[in-house]
Amino acid sequence: MSGRLSPLAGKQAPEAQLVDVQRLRDAYVDLRPDPAVPGQRVSFGTSGHRGSSFDRSFNEWHVLAITQAICEYRAQQGIDGPLYIGIDSHALSQPAFESALEVLAANGVQALIAKGGEYTPTPAISHAILTYNRGRTAGLADGIVVTPSHNPPDGGGFKYNPPNGGPADTDVTGWIQKRANALIEGGLREVRRVPYAQALRASTTHEHDFIAAYVADLANVIDFDAIRGSGVHLGVDPLGGAGVHYWAPIAERYGIDLTVVSDVVDPTFRFMSVDWDGKIRMDPSSSHAMQRLIGLKDHYDVAFACDTDHDRHGIVTRSSGLMLPNHYLSVMVDYLYRHRPEWRGDAAVGKTLVSTALIDRVAKRLGRRLYEVPVGFKWFVDGLFDGSLGFGGEESAGASFLRRDGGVWSTDKDGIAAALLSAEITARADRDPGELYRELSSALGQPLSERVDAPANGEQKAKLSKLSPQQVKSTELAGEKIEVVLDRAPGNGAAIGGIKVASAHGWFAARPSGTEDIYKIYAESFKDEAHLQRLLEEAQAMVDGALNAS
């Protein structure tokens, strides 16, 4: 990661840095967004609407308007089955859940909420939707996940999953976003709402045991017999997130040797070590944030963590400590396609175009088609749903894969299944994923990768998102002939909102940030560190040249 490393990185956060939870929740109710300010409007990114109540980007008005818009979208589309709604452990998630339920009840939507007010991981919502809809053509279910994922403790987030169980596509989120902003501009006059106590008692509100349903079905995804039989000693750190009470039932039901490192839930997340930039962030792929579990690596054969909504994974091995996401994704692909004989013979390997090219090499060796898509897990939903994709993964440590019989499991990222797979791999290979990665990269090439951020104003970002291959005048990249220049993903032909340039032993991709005045350059070299740095320098020069050309 680029940027200056904070002196606090990897250390416990000082008390003064911890979020004032009461002030945060008061701001959720008291501060209203101004729709004339772009940063205060409803805006769905790759993972729903996110923001903080302190800066009026995630407040009660946003949630009321988005939920009303979802109710209207459901009615327009004829989606009239139950709506599964779950929350993570961020401080703003409970008040946002209450706001949403007030609107769902007033609109007569059958809302299924977690039994006993339990937290609910993103994959458990996706699983519930798909399980309910299996074999149905009418009365289909959908869902809402209240989470800002791994974002800092002052964050809030709200995500809609349609009946396919995955993140909503841009045509859906675009409609919901537009309608929600219109409702806010209208002073919420068209929002239907009942008091929370009434919403809880409504005949349309029902409890659902997400934990029991999800845990009972996990054996159809993971080989627990192999894990139990091998006696591998496992550790998990839920990072105070939504899956905190899922791990003990998993260990108990399947008789595996799994220790929960901590089951503490605290909305300040004071138990986290601080991330690279000095912020508290529950990112299981960050070595700075994962200090607690890394410190315990020698206590377990393999250990893992998940972010706050449990859709992302972090794998800690005795052999290599915390694995880079790209390294573990490569091992997952290599293992799954050799140990899932009931998957379709033509099931492709899905990856985002900024994920490691080692996956390309693994897929080629396996004789599997590569399905390369733009950034965003939504691009994998249809393939995972119909079984034409066995696996979908992205470099930010999000992945999902099929059931052992080749049926759909989750069309959203599943950090729990990805974490448990590391235990299955260790059990069946008698080597941990870190050792397997070393074998893989020794055979197919050792990639080095880095991401840097470069400044770009709004006009330049707009230019970059529309950059065409013809605008790249260079014929060489870091001393090698350029083999391909892409502005569309090879897997599905979708615009990548930037550009990717590749040679025989390296590539870079550049795309504008959706939230900051920067563009991001991802680069990977199969040669050495000097080649990687040259890739990054030439990438920046190439992109800046194209942006500054008239």
Side-chain angles (χ1 to χ4, degrees), residues 5 16 22 52-53 136 156 205 252 255 342 382 413 420 453 457:
L5 200 64
Q22 192 54 55
S52 174
S53 60
R136 294 177 193 266
T205 301
E252 187 179 347
E342 292 186 50
D382 291 343
K413 294 175 283 196
L420 288 167
D453 299 341
N457 60 33

Side-chain angles (χ1 to χ4, degrees), residues 226-440:
I227 298 172
R228 187 171 53 253
S230 72
V232 288
H233 183 36
L234 309 169
V236 61
D237 189 344
L239 302 181
V244 65
H245 299 135
Y246 279 60
W247 296 102
I250 289 169
E252 187 179 347
R253 181 180 182 96
Y254 297 111
I256 60 173
D257 179 4
L258 174 64
T259 300
V260 180
V261 169
S262 171
D263 60 2
V264 171
V265 176
D266 178 346
T268 67
F269 293 90
R270 67 179 67 234
F271 48 78
M272 291 295 300
S273 48
V274 173
D275 206 0
W276 68 276
D277 58 355
K279 293 182 179 179
I280 296 174
R281 192 180 284 110
M282 288 60 72
D283 180 355
S285 65
S286 163
S287 61
H288 305 291
M290 283 277 281
Q291 284 298 301
R292 179 163 71 182
L293 196 59
I294 292 169
L296 297 172
K297 79 177 181 71
D298 295 330
H299 292 63
Y300 305 103
D301 295 311
V302 66
F304 30 82
C306 293
D307 66 339
T308 325
D309 69 322
H310 271 49
D311 71 340
R312 297 176 10 144
H313 59 268
I315 308 300
V316 176
T317 67
R318 279 187 199 267
S319 66
S320 55
L322 179 67
M323 293 185 73
L324 292 174
N326 274 322
H327 293 187
Y328 182 55
L329 294 180
S330 303
V331 171
M332 287 174 80
V333 170
D334 188 58
Y335 176 85
L336 283 167
Y337 286 83
R338 290 187 294 106
H339 292 86
R340 295 294 186 266
E342 292 186 50
W343 285 9
R344 279 169 47 174
D346 65 346
V349 176
K351 59 161 272 199
T352 54
L353 85 169
V354 296
S355 300
T356 179
L358 185 59
I359 294 173
D360 308 34
R361 297 180 180 197
V362 171
K364 187 177 180 182
R365 187 171 77 169
L366 291 165
R368 293 283 180 164
R369 181 171 66 88
L370 187 74
Y371 183 72
E372 190 173 10
V373 297
V375 173
F377 205 80
K378 64 184 180 184
W379 301 109
F380 300 129
V381 173
D382 291 343
L384 289 168
F385 187 79
D386 67 15
S388 61
L389 275 183
F391 167 95
E394 52 187 18
E395 45 74 47
S396 54
S400 194
F401 47 94
L402 298 177
R403 293 170 178 267
R404 292 159 73 186
D405 68 2
V408 61
W409 165 249
S410 168
T411 48
D412 213 326
K413 294 175 283 196
D414 189 339
I416 299 174
L420 288 167
L421 185 69
S422 71
E424 179 189 326
I425 291 170
T426 305
R428 291 188 66 171
D430 201 27
R431 295 188 299 294
D432 71 39
E435 293 169 300
L436 292 172
Y437 174 75
R438 277 204 290 273
E439 292 175 16
L440 202 58

Side-chain angles (χ1 to χ4, degrees), residues 42-64:
V42 172
S43 176
F44 275 78
T46 51
S47 296
H49 173 75
R50 291 183 185 175
S52 174
S53 60
F54 287 145
D55 55 22
R56 301 174 194 254
S57 54
F58 188 90
N59 299 84
E60 185 179 47
W61 273 44
H62 293 108
V63 175
L64 295 171

